[in-house]
Amino acid sequence: MLHAKIIDSSIEKIEISKAEHFLKSEKFGAVIYFIGVVRDNNENKKVNGITYDAKDTMVIKSFEEIYNETEQKLGIKNKAVFIEHVKGHLKLSEKSILIGVACKHRDEAYRLSRFIIEEIKKRSPIWKKEHYENEDSEWLKGISLTT
Amino acid sequence: MKISVELFGAAREFSKTKYLEFNFSKSCKLIDIKKKLYEHVDNKFNGNLNYKEIIKSSAFCSDKDQLIKENQILNKNQIIGIIPPIGGG
């Protein structure tokens, strides 16, 4: 069971309560939330916000592919996964991503949560533009998808 | 034939619009589109090397969200996306 969505920050925000509602089941004994938030520094620069860009359809496709791979790669069959990622501008401490996972046991849940965030970092077409205290801004360097 | 390149991430700096449009007399390959992008950077941004590096390190995707191979032939009007190096989360 997967929920995958891009959240336009100008319209709505990531809310943990939605993930709680989605993941709630008597079948699962372990629920883990990974939340990415905007921090105030990067490489010795004072950050005051980040603009996220995304190719929405491709991002959702990548979330679905990552979810579908978890059974074979991690051997986790019974699970629920909630993934939301923001697109648009965020201020400090605002949530950029929420990955909620529910599994039968904690070991599976920890492994699943870690796998999903690491794969998103490598595969999902999302970009960050950092805004600095001195009013400069910069697109962060990332991982190339060229083969 | 018209190819529209939808801009994402760092490539959004290439234009104030969401797309760059290039005309080709017949079919083209990815290398031909990249050439047009390099020319655009030469003409509009004085050959900005950082922008050229973005083109070099970018993948490109079709309107069906599939990565385009270097030798793949594009023979109809379409929108493709430039996918600079990624890094969400």
Side-chain angles (χ1 to χ4, degrees):
Chain A
M1 195 166 63
L2 171 69
H3 165 94
K5 188 178 176 186
I6 299 291
I7 299 288
D8 182 338
S9 66
S10 67
I11 298 169
E12 55 183 331
K13 292 194 181 303
I14 288 176
E15 293 174 26
I16 299 171
S17 59
K18 287 182 190 168
E20 282 175 333
H21 180 74
F22 180 81
L23 298 171
K24 194 174 181 183
S25 167
E26 291 174 353
K27 291 179 188 168
F28 302 127
V31 179
I32 289 175
Y33 299 103
F34 170 81
I35 299 167
V37 295
V38 178
R39 68 173 187 275
D40 68 355
N41 67 86
N42 188 29
E43 297 183 347
N44 296 321
K45 292 178 189 168
K46 288 197 171 180
V47 175
N48 60 21
I50 294 180
T51 300
Y52 287 85
D53 190 15
K55 186 168 190 343
D56 299 18
T57 52
M58 220 170 155
V59 170
I60 297 298
K61 190 178 165 192
S62 72
F63 290 173
E64 289 167 351
E65 286 171 356
I66 292 165
Y67 171 84
N68 288 333
E69 287 171 15
T70 57
E71 183 170 341
Q72 191 188 0
K73 291 191 173 174
L74 304 178
I76 301 171
K77 201 170 182 179
N78 298 315
K79 60 195 173 279
V81 174
F82 181 101
I83 310 173
E84 288 190 348
H85 199 297
V86 158
K87 177 180 179 176
H89 186 264
L90 290 184
K91 293 182 281 191
L92 295 181
S93 298
E94 289 190 308
K95 298 179 196 73
S96 59
I97 185 170
L98 168 58
I99 300 170
V101 302
C103 297
K104 201 170 176 185
H105 301 292
R106 68 183 183 282
D107 178 58
E108 291 176 324
Y110 276 116
R111 286 191 293 121
L112 182 58
S113 176
R114 184 65 191 259
F115 177 81
I116 291 169
I117 182 61
E118 298 303 334
E119 291 301 310
I120 287 172
K121 291 264 184 193
K122 285 187 280 189
R123 293 161 57 173
S124 302
I126 299 168
W127 301 270
K128 291 180 192 178
K129 188 178 195 179
E130 281 186 342
H131 303 281
Y132 305 111
E133 210 175 45
N134 63 6
E135 297 190 353
D136 278 350
S137 59
E138 185 179 18
W139 289 99
L140 297 188
K141 291 182 172 58
I143 298 170
S144 175
L145 293 186
T146 55
T147 49
Chain B
M1 185 185 73
K2 187 168 79 180
I3 299 288
S4 300
V5 180
E6 190 173 6
L7 305 172
F8 293 99
R12 285 198 188 271
E13 306 299 330
F14 295 176
S15 175
K16 287 177 181 167
T17 59
K18 288 183 177 180
Y19 300 87
L20 288 173
E21 293 181 345
F22 301 113
N23 289 305
F24 296 89
S25 54
K26 48 181 182 177
S27 65
C28 67
K29 292 182 180 176
L30 191 52
I31 191 168
D32 303 312
I33 298 166
K34 284 184 182 178
K35 260 185 210 167
K36 295 272 191 186
L37 283 166
Y38 285 124
E39 284 170 16
H40 174 79
V41 170
D42 283 336
N43 295 334
K44 301 283 184 185
F45 301 100
N46 200 23
N48 185 308
L49 292 177
N50 289 332
Y51 288 3
K52 287 188 172 182
E53 185 56 36
I54 291 167
I55 298 167
K56 188 180 168 190
S57 57
S58 288
F60 291 79
C61 68
S62 70
D63 49 4
K64 293 188 170 57
D65 290 334
Q66 290 178 331
L67 293 182
I68 299 171
K69 292 174 185 151
E70 286 288 324
N71 288 323
Q72 192 172 326
I73 293 169
L74 307 176
N75 54 14
K76 61 179 174 69
N77 291 343
Q78 60 187 289
I79 298 171
I80 67 170
I82 180 169
I83 309 294
I86 60 166

